[in-house]
PDB file of all heavy atoms in Angstrom:
ATOM      1  N   GLY A 627     147.647 121.598  92.180  1.00 97.00           N
ATOM      2  CA  GLY A 627     147.513 120.225  91.675  1.00 97.00           C
ATOM      3  C   GLY A 627     147.996 119.261  92.740  1.00 97.00           C
ATOM      4  O   GLY A 627     148.706 119.656  93.673  1.00 97.00           O
ATOM      5  N   ILE A 628     147.606 118.014  92.578  1.00 97.00           N
ATOM      6  CA  ILE A 628     147.959 117.015  93.592  1.00 97.00           C
ATOM      7  C   ILE A 628     149.319 116.395  93.306  1.00 97.00           C
ATOM      8  O   ILE A 628     150.127 116.187  94.215  1.00 97.00           O
ATOM      9  CB  ILE A 628     146.846 115.942  93.652  1.00 97.00           C
ATOM     10  CG1 ILE A 628     145.589 116.585  94.267  1.00 97.00           C
ATOM     11  CG2 ILE A 628     147.294 114.707  94.427  1.00 97.00           C
ATOM     12  CD1 ILE A 628     144.386 115.690  94.327  1.00 97.00           C
ATOM     13  N   LYS A 629     149.576 116.114  92.036  1.00 96.00           N
ATOM     14  CA  LYS A 629     150.794 115.380  91.675  1.00 96.00           C
ATOM     15  C   LYS A 629     152.064 116.050  92.222  1.00 96.00           C
ATOM     16  O   LYS A 629     152.859 115.394  92.890  1.00 96.00           O
ATOM     17  CB  LYS A 629     150.851 115.228  90.157  1.00 96.00           C
ATOM     18  CG  LYS A 629     151.743 114.113  89.752  1.00 96.00           C
ATOM     19  CD  LYS A 629     151.567 113.570  88.377  1.00 96.00           C
ATOM     20  CE  LYS A 629     151.315 114.429  87.224  1.00 96.00           C
ATOM     21  NZ  LYS A 629     151.483 113.754  85.953  1.00 96.00           N
ATOM     22  N   TYR A 653     148.717 104.384  91.442  1.00 97.00           N
ATOM     23  CA  TYR A 653     148.876 105.549  90.555  1.00 97.00           C
ATOM     24  C   TYR A 653     150.357 105.980  90.599  1.00 97.00           C
ATOM     25  O   TYR A 653     150.885 106.287  91.678  1.00 97.00           O
ATOM     26  CB  TYR A 653     147.938 106.634  91.082  1.00 97.00           C
ATOM     27  CG  TYR A 653     148.062 107.982  90.450  1.00 97.00           C
ATOM     28  CD1 TYR A 653     147.848 108.166  89.086  1.00 97.00           C
ATOM     29  CD2 TYR A 653     148.363 109.094  91.226  1.00 97.00           C
ATOM     30  CE1 TYR A 653     147.949 109.430  88.522  1.00 97.00           C
ATOM     31  CE2 TYR A 653     148.460 110.355  90.669  1.00 97.00           C
ATOM     32  CZ  TYR A 653     148.259 110.510  89.311  1.00 97.00           C
ATOM     33  OH  TYR A 653     148.357 111.758  88.756  1.00 97.00           O
ATOM     34  N   ASN A 702     143.288 104.001  92.977  1.00 95.00           N
ATOM     35  CA  ASN A 702     143.593 104.051  91.544  1.00 95.00           C
ATOM     36  C   ASN A 702     144.836 103.199  91.357  1.00 95.00           C
ATOM     37  O   ASN A 702     145.855 103.502  91.973  1.00 95.00           O
ATOM     38  CB  ASN A 702     143.865 105.499  91.112  1.00 95.00           C
ATOM     39  CG  ASN A 702     144.282 105.618  89.656  1.00 95.00           C
ATOM     40  OD1 ASN A 702     144.293 104.639  88.928  1.00 95.00           O
ATOM     41  ND2 ASN A 702     144.632 106.825  89.239  1.00 95.00           N
ATOM     42  N   ASP A 730     144.954 110.420  99.442  1.00 98.00           N
ATOM     43  CA  ASP A 730     144.538 111.044  98.180  1.00 98.00           C
ATOM     44  C   ASP A 730     143.126 110.547  97.870  1.00 98.00           C
ATOM     45  O   ASP A 730     142.918 109.384  97.531  1.00 98.00           O
ATOM     46  CB  ASP A 730     145.538 110.640  97.087  1.00 98.00           C
ATOM     47  CG  ASP A 730     145.171 111.215  95.728  1.00 98.00           C
ATOM     48  OD1 ASP A 730     144.048 111.701  95.554  1.00 98.00           O
ATOM     49  OD2 ASP A 730     146.031 111.140  94.820  1.00 98.00           O
ATOM     50  N   THR A 732     140.932 111.931  95.636  1.00 98.00           N
ATOM     51  CA  THR A 732     140.472 112.711  94.492  1.00 98.00           C
ATOM     52  C   THR A 732     139.374 112.025  93.677  1.00 98.00           C
ATOM     53  O   THR A 732     138.626 112.688  92.960  1.00 98.00           O
ATOM     54  CB  THR A 732     141.671 113.146  93.619  1.00 98.00           C
ATOM     55  OG1 THR A 732     141.248 114.120  92.703  1.00 98.00           O
ATOM     56  CG2 THR A 732     142.294 112.018  92.866  1.00 98.00           C
ATOM     57  N   HIS A 733     139.245 110.684  93.813  1.00 98.00           N
ATOM     58  CA  HIS A 733     138.167 109.984  93.087  1.00 98.00           C
ATOM     59  C   HIS A 733     136.921 109.760  93.960  1.00 98.00           C
ATOM     60  O   HIS A 733     135.994 109.065  93.554  1.00 98.00           O
ATOM     61  CB  HIS A 733     138.674 108.635  92.560  1.00 98.00           C
ATOM     62  CG  HIS A 733     139.715 108.750  91.474  1.00 98.00           C
ATOM     63  ND1 HIS A 733     139.413 108.798  90.138  1.00 98.00           N
ATOM     64  CD2 HIS A 733     141.068 108.866  91.538  1.00 98.00           C
ATOM     65  CE1 HIS A 733     140.513 108.917  89.417  1.00 98.00           C
ATOM     66  NE2 HIS A 733     141.543 108.964  90.248  1.00 98.00           N
ATOM     67  N   LYS A 766     138.613 115.237  88.828  1.00 98.00           N
ATOM     68  CA  LYS A 766     138.152 113.970  88.241  1.00 98.00           C
ATOM     69  C   LYS A 766     136.637 113.956  88.108  1.00 98.00           C
ATOM     70  O   LYS A 766     136.096 113.660  87.053  1.00 98.00           O
ATOM     71  CB  LYS A 766     138.597 112.784  89.103  1.00 98.00           C
ATOM     72  CG  LYS A 766     140.088 112.651  89.258  1.00 98.00           C
ATOM     73  CD  LYS A 766     140.781 112.354  87.946  1.00 98.00           C
ATOM     74  CE  LYS A 766     142.217 112.835  87.998  1.00 98.00           C
ATOM     75  NZ  LYS A 766     142.920 112.851  86.759  1.00 98.00           N
TER      76      LYS A 766
HETATM   77  C1  LIG B1644     144.612 109.280  92.552  1.00 53.54           C
HETATM   78  C2  LIG B1644     145.019 110.484  91.759  1.00 53.54           C
HETATM   79  N1  LIG B1644     145.599 111.514  92.370  1.00 53.54           N
HETATM   80  C3  LIG B1644     145.987 112.621  91.698  1.00 53.54           C
HETATM   81  C4  LIG B1644     145.794 112.716  90.333  1.00 53.54           C
HETATM   82  C5  LIG B1644     146.276 113.927  89.591  1.00 53.54           C
HETATM   83  O1  LIG B1644     145.910 115.074  90.224  1.00 53.54           O
HETATM   84  P1  LIG B1644     146.391 116.486  89.645  1.00 53.54           P
HETATM   85  O2  LIG B1644     145.942 116.543  88.220  1.00 53.54           O
HETATM   86  O3  LIG B1644     145.700 117.476  90.537  1.00 53.54           O
HETATM   87  O4  LIG B1644     147.875 116.555  89.787  1.00 53.54           O
HETATM   88  C6  LIG B1644     145.199 111.649  89.644  1.00 53.54           C
HETATM   89  C7  LIG B1644     145.028 111.711  88.186  1.00 53.54           C
HETATM   90  O5  LIG B1644     144.763 110.757  87.520  1.00 53.54           O
HETATM   91  C8  LIG B1644     144.796 110.519  90.369  1.00 53.54           C
HETATM   92  O6  LIG B1644     144.214 109.486  89.765  1.00 53.54           O
END
Side-chain angles (χ1 to χ4, degrees):
I628 290 177
K629 201 161 40 166
Y653 172 60
N702 176 5
D730 179 347
T732 193
H733 292 270
K766 300 295 154 191

